[in-house]
Amino acid sequence: MSNILHVGLNCIEPILDMPTTRSIPNKRWHLAFTAIYSSRALYSLVNQKKKSRKLPVPSNLSFVVLNVKPSAFSSNDHTTLTAIVNEKNFNKLLEFGGIEGVADALETCIKNGIDGSVNDVALRQEAFGSNTYQRAPAKRLFHFVVEAFKDLTILILIFCAALSLGFGIKENGAKEGWYDGGSIFVAVFLVISVSAVSNFRQNKQFEKLSKVSNNIKVDVVRNRRRQQIPIFEVVVGDVVCLKIGDQVPADGLFLDGHSLQVDESSMTGESDHVEINSHHNPFLFSGTKVADGYAQMLVTSVGMKTTWGVMMSTISQDTNEQTPLQARLNKLTSSIGKAGLAVAFLVLVALLVRYFTGNTEDENGNREFNGSNTKADDIVNSVVRIIAAAVTIVVVAIPEGLPLAVTLTLAYSMKRMMADQAMVRKLSACETMGSATTICTDKTGTLTLNQMKVTKFWLGQDPIEDSSLISTDLLNLIQQGVALNTTGSVYRATSGSNYEFSGSPTEKAILSWAVLELDMEMEILIKDFTILHVEAFNSEKKRSGVSIRSEADHNTVHVHWKGAAEMILAMCSSYYDASGRMKDMDDGERMKFEQIIQGMAASSLRCIAFAHKQIPEEEHEIRETSQKLEEDSLTLIGLVGIKDPCRPGVRKAVEDCQYAGVNVKMITGDNVFTARAIATECGILRPDQGINNEAVVEGEVFRNYTPEERIEKVDKIRVMARSSPLDKLLMVQCLKQKGHVVAVTGDGTNDAPALKEADIGLSMGIQGTEVAKECSDIIILDDNFASVATVLKWGRCVYNNIQKFIQFQLTVNVAALVINFVAAISAGEVPLTAVQLLWVNLIMDTLGALALATEQPTKELMERPPMGRTEPLITNIMWRNLGAQALYQIVVLLTLQFKGDSIFGVNEKVKDTLIFNTFVLCQVFNEFNARKLEKKNVFKGIRKNKLFLGIIGITIILQVVMVEFLKKFADTERLNWGQWGACLGIAAISWPLGWVVKCISVSKKPFLSYLRW
């Protein structure tokens, strides 16, 4: 007991050892906290004496401190703190000890963050919960089974199956009477099973994608080191770094930062941005977005204890998104269904008339209906059989495989696109991308590697190779401008270890250059200066500024600016030369600097300028009221050129898109010379397309065009430099007005309007902000333009696969409908029974969809022009192909129907089996024809598609089983080798027929232009 007490007292020592500089409220808060903790500790020690025998106290006291101290912050205290943050109660926060008091209670160092060890994080998760949300339970397989049962056709079939089963057992006994009804039940069961499992698997895939998309990376400071962790690993007490575009990962308090503006519309519905500061409103909420500025926050609540967590627990994600193609297919299905219903009704009437007029015979050649002599059971049974046949025609007529084919091809393509570094957030983007005519792409990180390095440095008008030649005063100014005007940071674990740089790629490049080449000591500079005001960088201003005061000189304020070279140059009236002397900048000197900037830009370098101004404290105090930094009469310190090499393979990807008829336009914030150099290197521009050509414009010039001029010139533009987000939005709007299907890439918060406006928004997975990702349809996980080209290829593949299946499915529908209708009207019987038609429906709808929907993209897809917005779903080429095949099948099968017994010398039962077998094998052979809509060689690349070959093999095996072994179930007779050969021979003719038909040219005008699916 004494050992435990000794440990407990050791745990309290850090709390008692308080600095004497604390304010009176803080002292009171800490004394009260210590008293409460001591009484709780003594009470718990007495109560847990038995537990201590089972769990011996480790000798490592630091571990014991971690194990005990979180319990000091009781659940009541945490509940109170959570309520204070939720209610934005600033006065109660002060009573609680202020932000510093909360940080102390949570064992967080405001500067260095939490300890961050495995034990520390585990204890915090145990005490305060993890940063995860309880979502509504996922839909189980049973839900999709129930949904499948809601199909009216399925319900009618079940009703008919029940009647058929009942009357069959009553008439023929349980041993043989269940065949007709039971076979319909089995077929219905298979259809429901396939449909439910397919939808269930798609739902599971959406859930996986949702988890990936929600796993945001968050910058935190732990044990002095800034690092990225998944959002789910954020714990109470963490110090989180926020910048423009970030999502706030948890509820918390503002610690430090500048110009922080937060978009709380997701919480409050108000579109106005809320200013966050430590004086009046330090409260930050999970799920909100940083609109401007940067900051550090202290996490006070995570997961279900946040306001966002409570909201999210009530929301269930609906993955039943219907894409435009699915909507068009539903209209097509509805139209075909109506036609099928009409045919089924005519067949029903014809069969009923023939039955009740005594024109039908049973298996023994006896008349089925003999007026009052016929038993009621026989009449009902015959009527049920006739109704079942009519309903089955409806089932075959309705191409239920179309929605399934869309689901399968979208699910398959989404999975493959994920492997190709593209995560689909909205299903409709898959198919829309196939119609894209223009891609507007960023430069940095998309066309380039985003691996930036400072390769050029100019002081005055001289390039500097050796930093030792720079004067001490000028070197100090450069180091101040880099270390204090940045959102990045530098970390070094020990004096001998490597530096770790964090921030944007540009910030990291400049910091690494200053630290490694200019010997900058960032921590010392931060201690020696006080930051007074910050103007954060954003893509509109293209610069950032800071005002600082030296701890050694309180009478002078230094203003530092950093940003796009030509913009900073315009703010300067003087410059420092290499020796550190200040010189006036006249027009001639300014022109020389402009030439230096253009020279670096022409070498594909991003040019950044540093400028400085020293102002008296009195003047700063006057300007402080306007919260604006000095922007004129600055002195240029120097210029740096940052190299960001083009990605390997990007030129080929651009050429592939252009070859496919898709225009690629580059929209960048860099100056016009850098933009032109990169665009030429990537193949977007030809070398002869200069700056004065209409192919290259600046954002401001484009913005100042009249609407008519923009519409006229937008097609000619290949590169837009120095563009703002508004310029990108204007270009997208102009392109859409001209009928283009536009895909846009974006990574910044300000890209959100353009991403939303575009037909397909593509955000960047690495550099993209959370705001950009939420506004996009597809996330490019590796930020690579080659992945954008891959998405284009997959989009076309999705559309093409659907068209293949439509052609295949409609051939089956047309042939089955015509054959049954003609036979029913003329002969009074249906050659294809209910079970046989359901079998055809099953294998053609499900296995056929699976075979054709999983074809991979081919080079041929990128050789054709994009599909327009108004192009019909069923093209003239498809009508030609399916019309020829359906006509061939109808002629052959009707010939077998009326002359088959005499041709083959077989009885009625064998003839019907021949018709059924030939019909199925025709579909198997036609499945090969459907692989290529235009190309004559339908076998090209078939060995690569193992799934297609496997499905063909399974279909043939199942057909053999149906014919040879399930005689009573399928109502078939065994066939001999000769008859099988005849069936195969008739079916195989569809291959040469398909080759001949593809030689026939068709007009471009839609065959059914008056129909709009």
Side-chain angles (χ1 to χ4, degrees):
M1 180 70 181
S2 61
N3 287 338
I4 297 170
L5 195 57
H6 174 72
V7 171
L9 292 171
N10 272 292
C11 297
I12 301 169
E13 273 184 305
I15 303 171
L16 298 172
D17 187 19
M18 293 183 295
T20 55
T21 56
R22 289 196 182 277
S23 63
I24 291 173
N26 274 348
K27 280 185 178 180
R28 287 175 182 166
W29 191 88
H30 273 267
L31 287 169
F33 179 81
T34 306
I36 293 167
Y37 177 77
S38 302
S39 61
R40 282 183 186 161
L42 289 169
Y43 179 74
S44 62
L45 288 172
V46 173
N47 284 341
Q48 294 180 7
K49 184 176 178 181
K50 292 180 181 179
K51 290 182 182 178
S52 67
R53 290 172 187 166
K54 296 178 183 177
L55 299 168
V57 179
S59 58
N60 186 339
L61 289 183
S62 64
F63 176 78
V64 177
V65 169
L66 282 173
N67 199 22
V68 176
K69 282 187 88 171
S71 65
F73 198 91
S74 72
S75 60
N76 289 335
D77 293 333
H78 189 237
T79 303
T80 305
L81 177 58
T82 302
I84 289 170
V85 175
N86 289 348
E87 295 166 10
K88 294 189 176 184
N89 195 326
F90 190 69
N91 292 327
K92 277 196 175 181
L93 178 64
L94 294 176
E95 291 174 17
F96 214 78
I99 296 169
E100 294 83 0
V102 173
D104 284 345
L106 295 176
E107 294 185 50
T108 299
C109 173
I110 290 174
K111 182 181 177 184
N112 298 330
I114 62 172
D115 174 71
S117 66
V118 175
N119 291 328
D120 182 27
V121 171
L123 286 166
R124 289 175 186 275
Q125 287 179 336
E126 185 180 348
F128 306 114
S130 62
N131 198 29
T132 53
Y133 305 123
Q134 291 177 6
R135 296 190 179 274
K139 294 173 182 175
R140 297 182 179 277
L141 180 61
F142 181 72
H143 168 83
F144 296 101
V145 172
V146 172
E147 287 296 312
F149 268 108
K150 291 180 181 177
D151 189 312
L152 181 61
T153 310
I154 294 293
L155 292 174
I156 294 170
L157 273 175
I158 291 171
F159 176 72
C160 289
L163 286 178
S164 180
L165 186 67
F167 285 113
I169 291 173
K170 185 178 179 184
E171 185 176 353
N172 302 316
K175 190 174 181 181
E176 294 186 0
W178 66 274
Y179 291 141
D180 283 351
S183 60
I184 299 174
F185 269 124
V186 170
V188 169
F189 171 77
L190 290 173
V191 170
I192 289 172
S193 299
V194 171
S195 176
V197 169
S198 298
N199 290 328
F200 175 68
R201 289 187 64 184
Q202 186 197 10
N203 191 63
K204 294 288 283 185
Q205 189 171 345
F206 269 110
E207 286 178 14
K208 285 181 183 177
L209 287 175
S210 179
K211 285 179 183 177
V212 173
S213 63
N214 290 336
N215 191 12
I216 300 162
K217 295 293 182 183
V218 178
D219 276 3
V220 298
V221 178
R222 288 183 177 178
N223 197 18
R224 292 178 46 240
R225 181 186 172 203
R226 184 164 166 175
Q227 54 192 283
Q228 278 199 336
I229 63 169
I231 191 171
F232 306 126
E233 293 179 14
V234 172
V235 294
V236 170
D238 258 326
V239 173
V240 176
C241 304
L242 299 172
K243 62 183 183 299
I244 295 176
D246 282 353
Q247 177 179 311
V248 178
D251 287 1
L253 299 168
F254 176 93
L255 289 176
D256 185 28
H258 297 278
S259 312
L260 188 66
Q261 300 265 331
V262 173
D263 177 6
E264 293 186 353
S265 58
S266 59
M267 303 289 293
T268 63
E270 298 293 331
S271 58
D272 293 338
H273 295 160
V274 179
E275 185 176 350
I276 308 293
N277 53 53
S278 56
H279 308 301
H280 306 293
N281 181 25
F283 306 106
L284 289 155
F285 297 100
S286 175
T288 57
K289 307 291 190 303
V290 178
D292 199 5
Y294 60 91
Q296 288 187 329
M297 69 171 280
L298 173 67
V299 175
T300 57
S301 300
V302 293
M304 295 306 297
K305 292 189 174 73
T306 64
T307 311
W308 184 252
V310 175
M311 285 173 55
M312 289 301 288
S313 65
T314 62
I315 299 172
S316 64
Q317 284 195 321
D318 186 13
T319 57
N320 294 328
E321 172 199 355
Q322 190 177 72
T323 71
L325 184 56
Q326 282 175 322
R328 291 173 77 184
L329 284 174
N330 285 342
K331 290 181 84 174
L332 175 64
T333 303
S334 175
S335 300
I336 296 171
K338 288 173 185 175
L341 195 62
V343 172
F345 179 74
L346 290 174
V347 168
L348 177 66
V349 170
L351 291 179
L352 286 174
V353 168
R354 289 183 69 86
Y355 175 76
F356 285 110
T357 55
N359 290 317
T360 58
E361 296 176 348
D362 60 17
E363 293 175 356
N364 301 318
N366 300 320
R367 200 192 229 181
E368 283 190 303
F369 182 77
N370 292 309
S372 58
N373 296 327
T374 308
K375 295 179 183 178
D377 285 356
D378 291 339
I379 294 172
V380 172
N381 208 29
S382 296
V383 169
V384 166
R385 189 178 68 250
I386 291 168
I387 292 172
V391 169
T392 310
I393 289 173
V394 177
V395 174
V396 174
I398 297 173
E400 291 167 323
L402 290 181
L404 181 63
V406 177
T407 300
L408 287 171
T409 193
L410 289 176
Y412 175 75
S413 61
M414 281 173 68
K415 190 174 181 180
R416 294 304 300 265
M417 284 166 75
M418 192 74 175
D420 288 339
Q421 302 299 315
M423 187 178 77
V424 179
R425 294 185 71 250
K426 294 180 182 174
L427 267 179
S428 56
C430 278
E431 61 198 49
T432 310
M433 195 67 190
S435 304
T437 57
T438 303
I439 299 174
C440 298
T441 177
D442 284 339
K443 175 187 78 69
T444 305
T446 308
L447 298 173
T448 61
L449 283 169
N450 214 10
Q451 296 173 0
M452 299 192 185
K453 184 180 181 182
V454 174
T455 58
K456 294 280 185 183
F457 175 43
W458 290 70
L459 280 179
Q461 294 165 11
D462 301 315
I464 303 297
E465 302 292 340
D466 186 359
S467 60
S468 62
L469 302 176
I470 306 171
S471 69
T472 305
D473 290 341
L474 189 55
L475 185 63
N476 290 337
L477 279 178
I478 296 168
Q479 291 177 345
Q480 291 169 25
V482 173
L484 303 170
N485 185 14
T486 183
T487 55
S489 64
V490 179
Y491 171 75
R492 197 180 193 186
T494 60
S495 58
S497 61
N498 293 329
Y499 289 99
E500 290 182 20
F501 303 99
S502 59
S504 69
T506 305
E507 295 281 11
K508 287 194 284 188
I510 293 171
L511 284 172
S512 65
W513 165 73
V515 169
L516 301 176
E517 296 191 25
L518 305 183
D519 299 322
M520 181 183 78
E521 295 285 349
M522 191 163 177
E523 285 193 9
I524 295 173
L525 286 166
I526 290 171
K527 288 177 183 175
D528 289 347
F529 288 88
T530 302
I531 295 175
L532 305 174
H533 183 65
V534 172
E535 283 200 24
F537 178 90
N538 66 41
S539 55
E540 288 183 18
K541 295 183 292 187
K542 302 196 189 307
R543 63 181 186 270
S544 64
V546 62
S547 59
I548 57 174
R549 184 194 292 119
S550 171
E551 296 296 332
D553 180 11
H554 288 275
N555 296 320
T556 306
V557 172
H558 299 269
V559 175
H560 284 273
W561 283 96
K562 174 184 73 179
E566 67 267 32
M567 294 189 173
I568 297 295
L569 182 65
M571 297 159 63
C572 295
S573 59
S574 57
Y575 68 95
Y576 290 106
D577 66 10
S579 62
R581 287 175 299 181
M582 187 186 294
K583 292 185 176 180
D584 289 336
M585 189 185 296
D586 58 23
D587 290 342
E589 300 292 324
R590 190 179 299 278
M591 189 172 291
K592 288 179 182 176
F593 279 111
E594 287 173 353
Q595 288 172 351
I596 292 170
I597 292 167
Q598 289 175 16
M600 283 197 281
S603 302
S604 304
L605 298 181
R606 170 176 283 188
C607 206
I608 305 292
F610 295 88
H612 164 261
K613 186 173 186 179
Q614 187 173 307
I615 58 176
E617 173 66 25
E618 300 80 29
E619 186 180 336
H620 171 72
E621 288 175 357
I622 294 169
R623 291 187 65 87
E624 200 172 28
T625 55
S626 66
Q627 293 288 303
K628 291 278 286 181
L629 293 178
E630 190 79 35
E631 293 185 357
D632 48 23
S633 302
L634 305 180
T635 302
L636 184 70
I637 298 174
L639 301 166
V640 295
I642 301 174
K643 181 68 175 176
D644 185 14
C646 281
R647 286 183 178 273
V650 75
R651 188 180 184 92
K652 172 140 190 342
V654 169
E655 287 172 353
D656 287 346
C657 290
Q658 291 170 340
Y659 185 67
V662 179
N663 295 317
V664 180
K665 301 179 188 293
M666 187 177 85
I667 304 175
T668 177
D670 281 339
N671 74 38
V672 71
F673 298 97
T674 307
R676 183 185 177 278
I678 293 288
T680 305
E681 196 175 339
C682 294
I684 295 171
L685 279 180
R686 296 190 307 274
D688 61 326
Q689 289 180 308
I691 292 167
N692 297 325
N693 191 291
E694 286 184 331
V696 183
V697 297
E698 286 193 326
E700 187 179 358
V701 175
F702 183 75
R703 200 182 317 142
N704 293 332
Y705 285 151
T706 63
E708 293 76 19
E709 285 177 320
R710 279 199 291 268
I711 292 291
E712 181 190 342
K713 296 183 178 184
V714 71
D715 280 334
K716 299 174 186 175
I717 295 170
R718 290 287 174 270
V719 176
M720 184 154 63
R722 283 292 177 236
S723 66
S724 70
L726 176 62
D727 301 327
K728 185 183 277 191
L729 178 62
L730 273 174
M731 176 165 275
V732 173
Q733 289 171 338
C734 288
L735 288 166
K736 287 182 73 175
Q737 283 176 36
K738 292 204 76 173
H740 288 281
V741 179
V742 188
V744 169
T745 71
D747 55 11
T749 304
N750 292 327
D751 289 328
L755 288 169
K756 278 188 173 180
E757 181 70 24
D759 295 289
I760 312 105
L762 305 159
S763 66
M764 300 297 113
I766 299 171
Q767 283 302 116
T769 62
E770 291 312 311
V771 175
K773 289 176 186 176
E774 283 202 2
C775 292
S776 66
D777 305 307
I778 297 173
I779 299 175
I780 305 300
L781 298 174
D782 60 355
D783 290 16
N784 192 345
F785 185 81
S787 298
V788 177
T790 303
V791 171
L792 176 67
K793 196 183 291 184
W794 271 108
R796 292 191 173 189
C797 181
V798 167
Y799 203 92
N800 193 53
N801 285 351
I802 298 300
Q803 286 188 314
K804 289 175 186 176
F805 184 73
I806 289 172
Q807 177 185 299
F808 172 68
Q809 177 75 64
L810 290 186
T811 306
V812 180
N813 295 138
V814 171
L817 276 176
V818 173
I819 292 160
N820 272 11
F821 176 71
V822 172
I825 297 296
S826 60
E829 60 181 19
V830 178
L832 299 171
T833 66
V835 175
Q836 291 170 355
L837 283 174
L838 283 168
W839 167 244
V840 172
N841 193 51
L842 178 69
I843 63 168
M844 295 306 117
D845 279 12
T846 54
L847 296 180
L850 193 61
L852 293 172
T854 53
E855 286 276 352
Q856 294 191 32
T858 60
K859 288 182 181 179
E860 298 162 10
L861 292 173
M862 301 297 275
E863 292 173 359
R864 61 178 71 163
M867 291 159 286
R869 290 178 188 271
T870 57
E871 188 171 326
L873 192 57
I874 307 176
T875 63
N876 286 2
I877 290 168
M878 292 166 65
W879 281 119
R880 176 196 67 192
N881 296 344
L882 77 87
Q885 294 291 342
L887 183 62
Y888 169 70
Q889 290 179 22
I890 290 165
V891 170
V892 167
L893 295 176
L894 287 178
T895 302
L896 289 176
Q897 169 68 20
F898 295 109
K899 299 290 183 182
D901 45 4
S902 59
I903 293 171
F904 289 97
V906 293
N907 60 32
E908 194 75 14
K909 198 87 170 178
V910 175
K911 182 196 75 174
D912 287 345
T913 304
L914 283 169
I915 293 171
F916 168 58
N917 199 35
T918 304
F919 182 62
V920 171
L921 291 175
C922 278
Q923 312 320 319
V924 171
F925 279 83
N926 192 37
E927 211 159 339
F928 286 87
N929 288 326
R931 288 188 69 244
K932 306 288 180 184
L933 297 178
E934 298 179 61
K935 300 289 181 181
K936 294 174 185 175
N937 183 4
V938 296
F939 304 106
K940 186 178 179 181
I942 198 166
R943 283 183 296 178
K944 293 180 182 178
N945 195 341
K946 300 288 192 297
L947 183 62
F948 180 89
L949 293 173
I951 287 170
I952 292 294
I954 289 169
T955 305
I956 293 172
I957 291 167
L958 290 175
Q959 179 62 15
V960 170
V961 170
M962 281 287 285
V963 172
E964 298 294 325
F965 303 103
L966 298 177
K967 291 169 55 183
K968 291 188 177 179
F969 175 79
D971 198 18
T972 57
E973 287 291 329
R974 286 190 172 185
L975 302 177
N976 59 39
W977 287 106
Q979 290 163 347
W980 269 101
C983 293
L984 285 167
I986 294 168
I989 293 173
S990 64
W991 283 351
L993 176 66
W995 191 91
V996 171
V997 166
K998 286 174 184 176
C999 295
I1000 303 169
S1001 60
V1002 292
S1003 70
K1004 292 184 179 179
K1005 187 178 179 182
F1007 176 61
L1008 296 177
S1009 57
Y1010 53 89
L1011 288 178
R1012 289 290 179 268
W1013 302 118

